[in-house]
Amino acid sequence: MKLEDVLLKIQNGEMDIDSAANEIHTMSYTEVSDFAKIDSHRMCRTGIPEAVLAEGKEPDDLVEIVKKQVDCAGRVLVTRVSAEQIAKLRSNFESDNIEWNERANAAVINNGTQCPETGGVVGILSGGTTDVGVAEEANIVASEMGCKTITAYDVGVAGIHRLFPQISRFKETGVDAVIVAAGREGTLPTIVSGLIDVPVIGLPVSTGYGAGGSGQAALMSMLQSCSVISVVNIDAGFVAGAFAAQIANKVAKARK
Amino acid sequence: MKLEDVLLKIQNGEMDIDSAANEIHTMSYTEVSDFAKIDSHRMCRTGIPEAVLAEGKEPDDLVEIVKKQVDCAGRVLVTRVSAEQIAKLRSNFESDNIEWNERANAAVINNGTQCPETGGVVGILSGGTTDVGVAEEANIVASEMGCKTITAYDVGVAGIHRLFPQISRFKETGVDAVIVAAGREGTLPTIVSGLIDVPVIGLPVSTGYGAGGSGQAALMSMLQSCSVISVVNIDAGFVAGAFAAQIANKVAKARK
Amino acid sequence: MKLEDVLLKIQNGEMDIDSAANEIHTMSYTEVSDFAKIDSHRMCRTGIPEAVLAEGKEPDDLVEIVKKQVDCAGRVLVTRVSAEQIAKLRSNFESDNIEWNERANAAVINNGTQCPETGGVVGILSGGTTDVGVAEEANIVASEMGCKTITAYDVGVAGIHRLFPQISRFKETGVDAVIVAAGREGTLPTIVSGLIDVPVIGLPVSTGYGAGGSGQAALMSMLQSCSVISVVNIDAGFVAGAFAAQIANKVAKARK
Amino acid sequence: MKLEDVLLKIQNGEMDIDSAANEIHTMSYTEVSDFAKIDSHRMCRTGIPEAVLAEGKEPDDLVEIVKKQVDCAGRVLVTRVSAEQIAKLRSNFESDNIEWNERANAAVINNGTQCPETGGVVGILSGGTTDVGVAEEANIVASEMGCKTITAYDVGVAGIHRLFPQISRFKETGVDAVIVAAGREGTLPTIVSGLIDVPVIGLPVSTGYGAGGSGQAALMSMLQSCSVISVVNIDAGFVAGAFAAQIANKVAKARK
Amino acid sequence: MKLEDVLLKIQNGEMDIDSAANEIHTMSYTEVSDFAKIDSHRMCRTGIPEAVLAEGKEPDDLVEIVKKQVDCAGRVLVTRVSAEQIAKLRSNFESDNIEWNERANAAVINNGTQCPETGGVVGILSGGTTDVGVAEEANIVASEMGCKTITAYDVGVAGIHRLFPQISRFKETGVDAVIVAAGREGTLPTIVSGLIDVPVIGLPVSTGYGAGGSGQAALMSMLQSCSVISVVNIDAGFVAGAFAAQIANKVAKARK
Amino acid sequence: MKLEDVLLKIQNGEMDIDSAANEIHTMSYTEVSDFAKIDSHRMCRTGIPEAVLAEGKEPDDLVEIVKKQVDCAGRVLVTRVSAEQIAKLRSNFESDNIEWNERANAAVINNGTQCPETGGVVGILSGGTTDVGVAEEANIVASEMGCKTITAYDVGVAGIHRLFPQISRFKETGVDAVIVAAGREGTLPTIVSGLIDVPVIGLPVSTGYGAGGSGQAALMSMLQSCSVISVVNIDAGFVAGAFAAQIANKVAKARK
Amino acid sequence: MKLEDVLLKIQNGEMDIDSAANEIHTMSYTEVSDFAKIDSHRMCRTGIPEAVLAEGKEPDDLVEIVKKQVDCAGRVLVTRVSAEQIAKLRSNFESDNIEWNERANAAVINNGTQCPETGGVVGILSGGTTDVGVAEEANIVASEMGCKTITAYDVGVAGIHRLFPQISRFKETGVDAVIVAAGREGTLPTIVSGLIDVPVIGLPVSTGYGAGGSGQAALMSMLQSCSVISVVNIDAGFVAGAFAAQIANKVAKARK
Amino acid sequence: MKLEDVLLKIQNGEMDIDSAANEIHTMSYTEVSDFAKIDSHRMCRTGIPEAVLAEGKEPDDLVEIVKKQVDCAGRVLVTRVSAEQIAKLRSNFESDNIEWNERANAAVINNGTQCPETGGVVGILSGGTTDVGVAEEANIVASEMGCKTITAYDVGVAGIHRLFPQISRFKETGVDAVIVAAGREGTLPTIVSGLIDVPVIGLPVSTGYGAGGSGQAALMSMLQSCSVISVVNIDAGFVAGAFAAQIANKVAKARK
C-alpha cells in the first residue's frame, strides 16, 4: 500500500487514524529506502558518472552490468579494465560507442549520449611518467563529470623548471581545482599548493621501492605537508577526479 | 641594484645590453624570491590567516611573533596554545583583542581589525564529544578565512538518528563544503558524503585505543572509503579548516 | 506537526491528500529519526545498559550526563572513571546508589532501580592478575545486562593446571558464552575454545613489552587462532561483556 | 595395561593398592590424551563439520584425507580448493556426492549422509560483490553445521538503501546471529549492529588498495567500532561461519 | 574421593570395577591438574627460581606474595621493583635477607636458604652501559638458578677491541652459554657468535631512537643474523637468563 | 714475508728488532685474518656443516660451489634447492652421493664421507602439516651436525591430545634440546616448554593469513611467551637446527 | 620577446622603463625556468650521468628516449633493464656502443664518446653474493661519473677474515669514499666504518626473510649504527653510487 | 711478554724460532686488540671528537667520564645534556672551560686546548624553528671536528623564497658538504640537492603528528627522494655533523 492510498482511506473513513499511523510507521523502512533512492538520483543529476570497477569481474558479467548502466544512464565509465575484458567489451559494443583510454585502462561506453558540459575546469599534474596512468584515471572521471580538464605530466621536482610554465598555463586557463599525482617522495602537491590559489588534491601513486615504497612515503609526505592540501588514497585516481570535479562543478554552478 | 636602476642605466647609455642582461640574470635568485613573495602576498589577499603554531615555542618568543604578525596583518590565529602561553599572551594584549577558544586551545589576537566576510559557508560535523577540539580548530580557521561556519557535534554513527536533521539544516543553510571530524572507526565522513552533494573533507581524530588507535583506523577507513571524500592528516584541524574555506571562498567568489 | 495531527486533518477534511503526502514526505527526516529512536528504545528493552565513557570528560559534565541517564533509565554504567571523577560522582549521589568496581575503574549509578535478571550466564576467564581490570569491565557490563556472571582469574597457560577445574565449574554452572581475557602471547582463548562447547570471545589485554607488546601479539595470536573464536579490540572489556551478554540473553530468552 | 585390568587385579588381590595407584599415575599421559579424545568426539556431536583446508595439499593426498573423513563422518567440508584439486576430487567421487560452491572455492563431499538440521538461523550480509567468496565460505560452514542460512549480498554503504529491506527480511525470518562481510573501509557491520538485535560478527575481507588495503582498514575499523560487534581475521569465512553457527545452534537448542 | 580410596573400595569389594572405572574417568580433570602440578614441582627441582614480576602490583600485595614464596621455596626473585616497592619490602624483611640489585631493579628475598650451585657457567656481555640493567636482570636469574656467572659490559662494536680479551676470558673460564645484550643496531651477538663455540642468546635492549628505536632494529638485526644465534624479546632479561641457565645446567649435569 | 722468515732474519742478524717489530705490526691484518681462519676451522671441528643456500644461485655456479665444498669437507648441505637445481646436481653427482629431502627442499652431497655421530639428541615438533618443510630443514641440519633426531609432526594445539604421547616419547629418548615449529598463532612452543625440562627453541613458520599472517603472529606470540623459550626468525629452519644441535652436542660432549 | 630584445628597445627609446620592468616581471616564470635549466647544465658539467630508469617503460619508448639522450650527451646509463628491453636496445644500437652489465641489469649506450676521468676513487664492498647486483649498479654509476672504482664482494660478517685484506687494499689504493652493500642484518657498513677513515655509505639490500626481511632489518640496523655512516634507501644502488662519486669527485678536484 | 721482548730473545739466542712463532700466535688476541687500539688513535688524529652521550647517565658518573676525556684529549663534546647534568658539570669545571649550546643541549668541556682548524666548510640548513636543536647538534659536532660551519635556519618549503639567497650565500662561501634538517614531510633536502653541487645529507627531525609523525614521513620521504642525497636516522644530529665534517675535511686536506 502506498502512502496516498492510506491517506485516501482515512479521507474515505475506511481506516481509523491509529491504524493509519501504524501502517505508515511500518512503511518506515521503505520510506528510508526511498529517501536514499532520491539521494542516489541526486547523484545522477549532479553528474557523478555511473562507474564500474572492472577489476575481478568475469568478462561476461561485466558486459551485462555495462549494458544495463548504458541503457539506464546513456554512458558508463569502466575502470581498471583488463586486456581480456576490453576485448569482450569490444565484441559487444560498436567501436563508435567505446572511448578507450589505454594509459588509464579505462573505457567509457555510451549509446550516443553526450557528456554534459558543466563549465568546471580541473587541472591535473603528475610528477613522472609512471604516474600518468593514475592521473589519467582522474582525468577521465572529471571529464565524465562534465569538466574541462587540462593536464601537464612529467613535471616532477627532479626537473622543477618544467613546472612553472605549466602553473602559468593553469592560471591563465582558470582552473577551479588541481589534482597532483606523485609517487616516490610525493613532494609535488606541497610545492604546487604554494604556487596557485585553488584547492589542491594530493594523489599518491604506488611507485617507489624499499622503505616507504608502493606509495607509502608519498602518502605520508602529503599528509604531513606544511601546505594546505587534502589527500586521497594511493592510486585512487577515481576519487581524486570525482572530488576535484565536485569542487569545480560547484564553482561553475555558482558562476552561472 | 634594482631592476629599474639597471633599465635606467641602459636608457641613459650608462650600461650596454650584454652587461645588463648579465646583471639581470645574476639577479635571478632575488627574482625568484620576489616571485615567491608576491605569492605569499597573494595568500594574504585570499584570506588564509597568518597562523602561528604555538606548540614548542617559548612564551616570550611567542608574544614577540604574535605582535609582529598583528602589526603586519591586523589579526593572527595562534593554535595549540598551552596554559602558560595563553597567560603570557593575556598579560601582553588587551582582553578585547583576544578571542580565546578553549576547546580548540586556539586564540585570535587582533588590533581591532575585523575579519572579512567572504560569503563562503563551511559545515563542520563531529562524531563524538572527544572530537570537538579538533573540529573547533577547523572552525576557527575557516572563520578567520571569512567563512560563515555551521557546526553539529556528537552526531556519530552510534546515534545516527541525530545526523539526519543536521544534514537537513546544512542543506537549508547552503553549505559549500563540509568537514567531518571522526575518531575510532571513522565512518561518519563516508555516510555524510552519501547524503549531501558538496565536497566532504574527512578529518580523522586521534581517539580510539588498541589496534588502529590514535586515529590510525579512522584515517585508513577514510582513505578506503567507497564514497568520494578527501582526507587530511590525523588531528589536522587547521588543514581541514583552511582547505574547506578555500573551496567555500572559491564558490562564494563565483557567486558574486 | 505530528503525524497523527496530519492524519486527523485529512479525516476532518482540513487538508487534501496531496498536501498531506507532501507534508509527510517533508517530515521524513524526523520519521527517520523516529525510526532510529524506536531502535534505541529497542536497545533499552534488550538490556544493553546506558553506558558512559568517563575518560576525557570534565567531572561536572560527567555528573550532568549521568544524572540525565539515571533519570531516564534508572541505572547507568560509567566506565574508565578517574579518581577525580569518582570523587565528584560521590559528592552528587547517595553512596547507596553508587556501586563502585575499583579494579575495573567503573561505577553503576542507580536511583534504586534494580538490574533485571535475564537468566543468561556469562563465564569470564583471565590469564594473569594484570588482566583482571579489563575482565572486570566485561563482568560489570554483562551483569548490568542482566546476566549472571561466573569468573576465574589468573588461570593462564603458565599455570594451566589451574584452568581445568575452572572449566569444569563453568560447565557445571552452564555458561552460555565465555570471555577469555589474555595479554602477552594471548594463548588462553584458543585453549579454552578447545575445552568447552560454547562461543568463546577473545579479549586481548594491553600487557606485554617489546615486539608485540601493548596487546598486539595477543590480538594477532587470537585472530590467527586455529580454534573457532571471535575477537574484540585490545582492552575492549565493554564490547566483550556486551557481546557475550547479547548471546547469553538470546539463549536465555529461547530457554523460556 | 588398561585401567579395567588394573582394577581387576586389585579386586583379585593380584596387585596391591600402592602399585596400582602408581600404575594409574604413570598412565596419566594416556589418560590426558583420552580425555582430549573424548573432547574431540564432543566436537563431532555438536556439529562442527570435519573440515579440510585444501590449500597447499597435494591433490592425491587431499583425496586420501577426504576419503578417510567421509568414511568416518559421512560428510566433509573442503575449503580453498584449487582447480586442479577439484578436478582430482571429481575423478574420485560420484558427482552426486560432491556439492561444489564455485564462489567459495569449497566443496562438501558426502557418502549420502545428510546434514542434520539444528533449527539455528544465520544471516549473512556482504558489502560488495568482491566480498561474496568469503561470505559464501561462511555460508557453507554454517550450513554444514545444520543451520538454515539467509544471505543478502552487495548491500554496502555506498548504496545503503539496499540494506534496509534486507534487515527487515532478516528480522522476519528470525536470524539468531548475523555475519557481515566487508572490505575497503569495513563500515557495514557497525551499521548493521545498530539496526538489529542479534549478535553481529564482523568479517573483514581482503579488498581495498593502498594504505589499509588487503583488509587491514576493514579489520581496524571493525575493532574500533562504536557498536557492539566481535571480529574474526581477514578472509576468515570459516571461523565466522562456525562461530555464528555455534551461537545459532545454542539458541536453537534452547528453543527446543 | 581420592584414587587410593577408590582402589581400597575395590579391594574391599565395596565397589565394582565398572563403577570404579567410571569414577576414575570422572576424576580425570583433577588428574590432569595433578599431572600439571607434578610438572610444576619438576620446575622447582630443576632450579628455575620462583620469580615475581613486581611491576603493577600493590606494595602490600607484593609483600604478601613474596612472604608466601619465601616460606614455600626459601628464596624468591622479585623483578622490575619500584622505589616504593623496595621500601615496603625493606620494612618487612630483615636487611640480611634482601639482596638488592639496583641496576637490575631486582631483589632476592630469602629466609637464609642458600642458592644451590649447579656448576653451570653463563657468560653475559653487553654492548653499552645503557644495556647493563637488562643484562643484570639476566645475571640475577642465572645466578638464582645456581649458575656461576661471568660478565663483561660495555664491549660494543664501537670499541670492538675491548671485546676480544673478554672473549678470551670467557673461553678460559669455560662458559656453557653466552647472553649478549645489545641495543641500537644489535650487532654484537652476531660477532660474538663467530668468535666462541657455545650457544649465544641475543638479548635486544630498548635503546636507540628514530626508525628502529626502542630495540626494534636490534631485534630484527638479531633475527636476520647470518650467524647461528637464538633470540628473546626486547628487554627480556629474565627469559635470556633462565634460558641460558637451563642450557648451562644441562651441560653441568652431564659433566657430573 | 711469513712470520718465521722474519724471526729467522733476526736470529741471523739480518734484521734489527725495530724493523722486525714494525714488519710484524704491518702484518697484523693478515694475522687478524689468520686468527679468523683458525676460528672458521674451529667451526668445522665442532660439526657445523658447510651449508650452501641454493636460492638465487645459477645451477652451474651451484654445482661448482658444491663440488669444492665436497672436496674440502667430504659432505655439504644444500638448502632451498629448486627443481632445476636438484636436476643439475643429479646430473653431476652419483645418485649414491645425494641424499635428497623433498619436504625440506634440501640435499646433502657427499663423497662417501659419513656424518660423525656426536651422541647429541634433538627433538623436533611441528604444529601442522604445512610446518613440516621448515621443521625438516632443521632436522637435516641437526643430523649433519651429528645429532640423532626424533620428530613428531602435526601435533598442534587444535589436536593437543596428540602432543602428550610425543612428549613422553621425547622424555624417554632423552632429548637434549627441542625445536618447536609452528605457524598461525604459534602457541605450541609455549605449551611444550611447560611440559619438558630441556631448552625449547621456537621456530615460527610463515603460515597464516590476514593480520599477523606470514608468520608474524607466530613470531610475536613466541617472543611474548610466558614460558622460557628462545626464538629464531620466521622459517629459519637452518638456524633452529644448528642452534639446537649446538646445545645437544655440548651436552653430549659433557656426558663423555 | 626575449630579455635582450626588451633591453634593446629601452636603449632605442622604443619602450619606457615602467613597461619594460613590467614585461620582465611577467617574464619571470621563464626566467625561473632558465635559472633552473642552467642548473641542469651544471649537473652535466659535474658529471652526474644522464640516467634512464628502464623499469616499466615500453621497449620502443625506451629506445626513443635513449637515442635522444645519446645524441644530447654522448652517453647514457640505462638501469633496471629487462631481457626484452636489452634485446630491443641491441637491435637499435651497434654492439660496440652498448656496454652491458648483466649482474646490474644496466647498460651504457654511447656514440663513441668516452667517459671522462675525474681522478676520484670509489670503493665498493658487498656482504654476500646476492648483494652484488645492487653493488654493481652503484659501480656503474660511479664509473660513468668518471671515478675509478675498486670492488670487493662477498666479504660479509660471516667470513669477516675476508674483509681485512680488502680494507688494506682499499687503503693502499686511496679510496675517497666507500659504499658498503649489505642485506640480512646489515652489519657490514658499521664494521667497515670503524676500520677506514673515509666517508662510508650504507646501501641496504632487499635480501633476508621473515621479520625484517626485504632489507628492512638492514636499513634499520644502518640507521641505528653506533658508527658514523650515512644511508640510502633499500636497493638504491644508483643513489649510493652517485653520492659516493660526488664526494670522490669533490676530493679529486681539490687534489688538482 | 711484549713482542719486542720475544724478538730480543731470538736475537739473543734465548728462544728458538718455533717457540717464538708459537708465542706470537698465542699473543694474537692482544695483537688484535692492539690493532684496534691503533685504529682508535687514528680516529683522534682525524679529528672526530671524543663525544659523550649524557642521556641516561648519573650526573656524578658523567662528571667522572668527562674529566677523564678532557685529561686525555683536551676537549670533549657532551650531547643530550639535562638541566641537572649541566648544573653538575658547571659546579665541576671553570665557566671559561664550558661552551654551552642551549638549543642543542650540548656542551664542549675543555682544558684550554683549542679546537684545530681543518679548513673544511659545512653548511647547515633547517626547515623550521623546531628543527634547530637537532641542526645545532650537527653544527657543534662539525665545529669540534675543525670545520667552519655556516647555518641558515627556518628556510623551509612553506616559505621557499627564504631558501634561495641562503643557497647563494653557501655557494659563495664554498661549502664542502651540506646538512639539511627537516621534519614534517621532509622535502627540503630534495630541493636543496637540486640547487647545489655538493653532497647533501638529509637529517630527518622528529616533528610532525598523526600518520608519519615523529619524523617517519620525513625519513621515508628522504629515502625515496628523486634527488641524490644520503640520509641519517631521525634526530641523529651527531651522525649528520660528523659525516659532513668527514667529507669536508677530506676535501680540505686535498686542497692543501
Side-chain angles (χ1 to χ4, degrees), chain G residues 11-41:
Chain G
Q11 202 178 38
N12 298 344
E14 297 169 35
M15 193 183 254
D16 66 82
I17 286 173
D18 275 9
S19 306
N22 196 44
E23 177 78 9
I24 291 168
H25 274 301
T26 54
M27 246 185 229
S28 60
Y29 287 121
T30 329
E31 290 301 315
V32 171
S33 136
D34 277 357
F35 158 68
K37 270 177 189 147
I38 289 164
D39 233 65
S40 93
H41 287 173

Short mmCIF file of all heavy atoms in Angstrom, two decimals, chain G residues 11-41:
data_model
loop_
_atom_site.label_atom_id
_atom_site.label_comp_id
_atom_site.label_asym_id
_atom_site.label_seq_id
_atom_site.Cartn_x
_atom_site.Cartn_y
_atom_site.Cartn_z
N GLN G 11 67.00 50.81 -24.84
CA GLN G 11 68.15 51.54 -25.37
C GLN G 11 67.75 52.41 -26.56
O GLN G 11 68.18 53.56 -26.68
CB GLN G 11 69.22 50.52 -25.82
CG GLN G 11 70.62 51.11 -25.88
CD GLN G 11 71.63 50.05 -26.28
OE1 GLN G 11 71.37 49.19 -27.10
NE2 GLN G 11 72.82 50.13 -25.66
N ASN G 12 66.90 51.82 -27.40
CA ASN G 12 66.43 52.54 -28.60
C ASN G 12 65.30 53.51 -28.30
O ASN G 12 64.74 54.10 -29.22
CB ASN G 12 65.97 51.54 -29.66
CG ASN G 12 67.10 50.64 -30.11
OD1 ASN G 12 68.27 50.95 -29.86
ND2 ASN G 12 66.76 49.53 -30.76
N GLY G 13 64.91 53.60 -27.02
CA GLY G 13 63.83 54.52 -26.68
C GLY G 13 62.48 54.05 -27.18
O GLY G 13 61.52 54.80 -27.23
N GLU G 14 62.39 52.77 -27.58
CA GLU G 14 61.11 52.27 -28.09
C GLU G 14 60.20 51.80 -26.95
O GLU G 14 59.06 51.41 -27.17
CB GLU G 14 61.34 51.10 -29.06
CG GLU G 14 62.12 51.47 -30.31
CD GLU G 14 62.57 50.23 -31.09
OE1 GLU G 14 61.82 49.24 -31.10
OE2 GLU G 14 63.68 50.27 -31.66
N MET G 15 60.71 51.77 -25.76
CA MET G 15 59.91 51.29 -24.64
C MET G 15 60.33 52.07 -23.40
O MET G 15 61.52 52.30 -23.19
CB MET G 15 60.20 49.80 -24.43
CG MET G 15 59.22 49.10 -23.51
SD MET G 15 59.73 47.37 -23.27
CE MET G 15 58.51 46.52 -24.28
N ASP G 16 59.32 52.48 -22.59
CA ASP G 16 59.70 53.20 -21.37
C ASP G 16 60.03 52.20 -20.25
O ASP G 16 59.71 51.02 -20.33
CB ASP G 16 58.59 54.15 -20.94
CG ASP G 16 57.35 53.41 -20.54
OD1 ASP G 16 57.26 52.93 -19.37
OD2 ASP G 16 56.45 53.27 -21.43
N ILE G 17 60.67 52.71 -19.20
CA ILE G 17 61.18 51.83 -18.14
C ILE G 17 60.07 51.08 -17.42
O ILE G 17 60.20 49.89 -17.13
CB ILE G 17 62.04 52.66 -17.15
CG1 ILE G 17 63.38 52.96 -17.86
CG2 ILE G 17 62.30 51.88 -15.86
CD1 ILE G 17 64.26 53.90 -17.09
N ASP G 18 58.96 51.72 -17.14
CA ASP G 18 57.86 51.05 -16.44
C ASP G 18 57.34 49.85 -17.23
O ASP G 18 57.18 48.75 -16.69
CB ASP G 18 56.71 52.02 -16.17
CG ASP G 18 56.95 52.81 -14.89
OD1 ASP G 18 58.09 52.71 -14.34
OD2 ASP G 18 56.04 53.52 -14.42
N SER G 19 57.10 50.08 -18.50
CA SER G 19 56.62 48.98 -19.35
C SER G 19 57.63 47.84 -19.39
O SER G 19 57.28 46.67 -19.33
CB SER G 19 56.36 49.46 -20.78
OG SER G 19 55.49 50.57 -20.78
N ALA G 20 58.89 48.20 -19.50
CA ALA G 20 59.94 47.18 -19.58
C ALA G 20 60.01 46.38 -18.28
O ALA G 20 60.09 45.14 -18.29
CB ALA G 20 61.28 47.83 -19.87
N ALA G 21 59.99 47.09 -17.16
CA ALA G 21 60.04 46.40 -15.86
C ALA G 21 58.85 45.44 -15.76
O ALA G 21 58.99 44.29 -15.33
CB ALA G 21 60.01 47.40 -14.71
N ASN G 22 57.71 45.93 -16.21
CA ASN G 22 56.51 45.10 -16.17
C ASN G 22 56.67 43.87 -17.05
O ASN G 22 56.38 42.74 -16.65
CB ASN G 22 55.31 45.92 -16.64
CG ASN G 22 54.00 45.27 -16.26
OD1 ASN G 22 53.88 44.81 -15.11
ND2 ASN G 22 53.06 45.20 -17.18
N GLU G 23 57.17 44.09 -18.25
CA GLU G 23 57.40 43.00 -19.19
C GLU G 23 58.33 41.94 -18.58
O GLU G 23 58.08 40.74 -18.65
CB GLU G 23 58.02 43.56 -20.49
CG GLU G 23 58.38 42.51 -21.52
CD GLU G 23 57.15 42.04 -22.29
OE1 GLU G 23 56.05 42.66 -22.12
OE2 GLU G 23 57.25 41.05 -23.02
N ILE G 24 59.41 42.40 -17.95
CA ILE G 24 60.36 41.47 -17.36
C ILE G 24 59.73 40.70 -16.20
O ILE G 24 59.96 39.51 -16.02
CB ILE G 24 61.65 42.21 -16.92
CG1 ILE G 24 62.40 42.68 -18.17
CG2 ILE G 24 62.54 41.31 -16.07
CD1 ILE G 24 63.52 43.66 -17.88
N HIS G 25 58.91 41.41 -15.43
CA HIS G 25 58.23 40.71 -14.33
C HIS G 25 57.31 39.62 -14.86
O HIS G 25 57.26 38.52 -14.30
CB HIS G 25 57.43 41.70 -13.46
CG HIS G 25 58.26 42.31 -12.39
ND1 HIS G 25 58.91 41.58 -11.44
CD2 HIS G 25 58.57 43.62 -12.13
CE1 HIS G 25 59.58 42.39 -10.64
NE2 HIS G 25 59.40 43.63 -11.04
N THR G 26 56.59 39.90 -15.93
CA THR G 26 55.69 38.87 -16.45
C THR G 26 56.47 37.72 -17.08
O THR G 26 55.98 36.62 -17.21
CB THR G 26 54.71 39.43 -17.50
OG1 THR G 26 55.48 40.10 -18.49
CG2 THR G 26 53.72 40.40 -16.88
N MET G 27 57.71 38.02 -17.47
CA MET G 27 58.61 37.00 -17.99
C MET G 27 59.10 36.06 -16.90
O MET G 27 59.75 35.06 -17.19
CB MET G 27 59.87 37.70 -18.50
CG MET G 27 60.13 37.65 -19.96
SD MET G 27 61.73 38.45 -20.15
CE MET G 27 61.36 39.58 -21.48
N SER G 28 58.86 36.41 -15.66
CA SER G 28 59.62 35.80 -14.57
C SER G 28 59.52 34.27 -14.54
O SER G 28 60.47 33.60 -14.20
CB SER G 28 59.20 36.39 -13.23
OG SER G 28 57.83 36.15 -13.00
N TYR G 29 58.38 33.76 -14.97
CA TYR G 29 58.29 32.30 -14.98
C TYR G 29 59.40 31.70 -15.81
O TYR G 29 60.08 30.78 -15.41
CB TYR G 29 56.94 31.83 -15.49
CG TYR G 29 55.84 32.05 -14.50
CD1 TYR G 29 54.74 32.84 -14.82
CD2 TYR G 29 55.91 31.47 -13.25
CE1 TYR G 29 53.73 33.03 -13.91
CE2 TYR G 29 54.90 31.67 -12.31
CZ TYR G 29 53.80 32.45 -12.65
OH TYR G 29 52.81 32.64 -11.75
N THR G 30 59.51 32.28 -17.05
CA THR G 30 60.53 31.79 -17.95
C THR G 30 61.92 32.00 -17.35
O THR G 30 62.79 31.14 -17.45
CB THR G 30 60.45 32.50 -19.31
OG1 THR G 30 59.11 32.83 -19.56
CG2 THR G 30 61.02 31.63 -20.40
N GLU G 31 62.07 33.13 -16.72
CA GLU G 31 63.34 33.40 -16.07
C GLU G 31 63.65 32.29 -15.08
O GLU G 31 64.71 31.72 -15.06
CB GLU G 31 63.31 34.75 -15.31
CG GLU G 31 63.27 35.96 -16.21
CD GLU G 31 64.46 36.04 -17.13
OE1 GLU G 31 65.59 35.81 -16.66
OE2 GLU G 31 64.26 36.30 -18.34
N VAL G 32 62.68 31.98 -14.25
CA VAL G 32 62.85 30.93 -13.27
C VAL G 32 63.25 29.64 -13.97
O VAL G 32 64.19 28.96 -13.59
CB VAL G 32 61.55 30.70 -12.48
CG1 VAL G 32 61.68 29.44 -11.63
CG2 VAL G 32 61.25 31.89 -11.61
N SER G 33 62.53 29.37 -15.04
CA SER G 33 62.81 28.15 -15.78
C SER G 33 64.22 28.19 -16.35
O SER G 33 64.95 27.21 -16.31
CB SER G 33 61.73 27.98 -16.86
OG SER G 33 62.29 27.59 -18.06
N ASP G 34 64.66 29.36 -16.86
CA ASP G 34 66.03 29.46 -17.37
C ASP G 34 67.02 29.20 -16.25
O ASP G 34 67.99 28.47 -16.43
CB ASP G 34 66.29 30.84 -17.98
CG ASP G 34 65.79 30.90 -19.41
OD1 ASP G 34 65.31 29.86 -19.89
OD2 ASP G 34 65.87 31.98 -20.01
N PHE G 35 66.75 29.79 -15.14
CA PHE G 35 67.61 29.61 -13.97
C PHE G 35 67.78 28.11 -13.69
O PHE G 35 68.87 27.59 -13.49
CB PHE G 35 67.00 30.32 -12.77
CG PHE G 35 67.46 29.82 -11.44
CD1 PHE G 35 68.78 30.02 -11.05
CD2 PHE G 35 66.59 29.13 -10.60
CE1 PHE G 35 69.21 29.55 -9.82
CE2 PHE G 35 67.03 28.67 -9.39
CZ PHE G 35 68.34 28.88 -9.00
N ALA G 36 66.65 27.44 -13.73
CA ALA G 36 66.68 26.01 -13.43
C ALA G 36 67.42 25.25 -14.52
O ALA G 36 68.16 24.33 -14.23
CB ALA G 36 65.26 25.49 -13.28
N LYS G 37 67.22 25.65 -15.75
CA LYS G 37 67.89 24.95 -16.84
C LYS G 37 69.40 25.06 -16.73
O LYS G 37 70.13 24.12 -16.96
CB LYS G 37 67.41 25.47 -18.18
CG LYS G 37 66.21 24.69 -18.68
CD LYS G 37 65.70 25.26 -19.97
CE LYS G 37 64.38 24.63 -20.36
NZ LYS G 37 63.51 25.56 -21.07
N ILE G 38 69.85 26.25 -16.40
CA ILE G 38 71.29 26.44 -16.17
C ILE G 38 71.75 25.41 -15.14
O ILE G 38 72.77 24.77 -15.28
CB ILE G 38 71.57 27.87 -15.67
CG1 ILE G 38 71.35 28.86 -16.81
CG2 ILE G 38 72.99 27.97 -15.14
CD1 ILE G 38 71.22 30.29 -16.35
N ASP G 39 70.92 25.23 -14.12
CA ASP G 39 71.24 24.27 -13.09
C ASP G 39 71.40 22.86 -13.66
O ASP G 39 72.31 22.13 -13.28
CB ASP G 39 70.11 24.25 -12.05
CG ASP G 39 70.66 24.46 -10.68
OD1 ASP G 39 71.21 25.55 -10.43
OD2 ASP G 39 70.61 23.51 -9.87
N SER G 40 70.50 22.51 -14.58
CA SER G 40 70.60 21.16 -15.12
C SER G 40 71.86 21.03 -15.97
O SER G 40 72.48 19.98 -16.02
CB SER G 40 69.33 20.79 -15.89
OG SER G 40 69.49 21.07 -17.24
N HIS G 41 72.26 22.10 -16.62
CA HIS G 41 73.52 22.08 -17.34
C HIS G 41 74.67 21.87 -16.36
O HIS G 41 75.58 21.09 -16.60
CB HIS G 41 73.73 23.39 -18.11
CG HIS G 41 72.86 23.49 -19.30
ND1 HIS G 41 72.76 24.61 -20.07
CD2 HIS G 41 72.02 22.58 -19.86
CE1 HIS G 41 71.90 24.40 -21.05
NE2 HIS G 41 71.43 23.18 -20.93
#
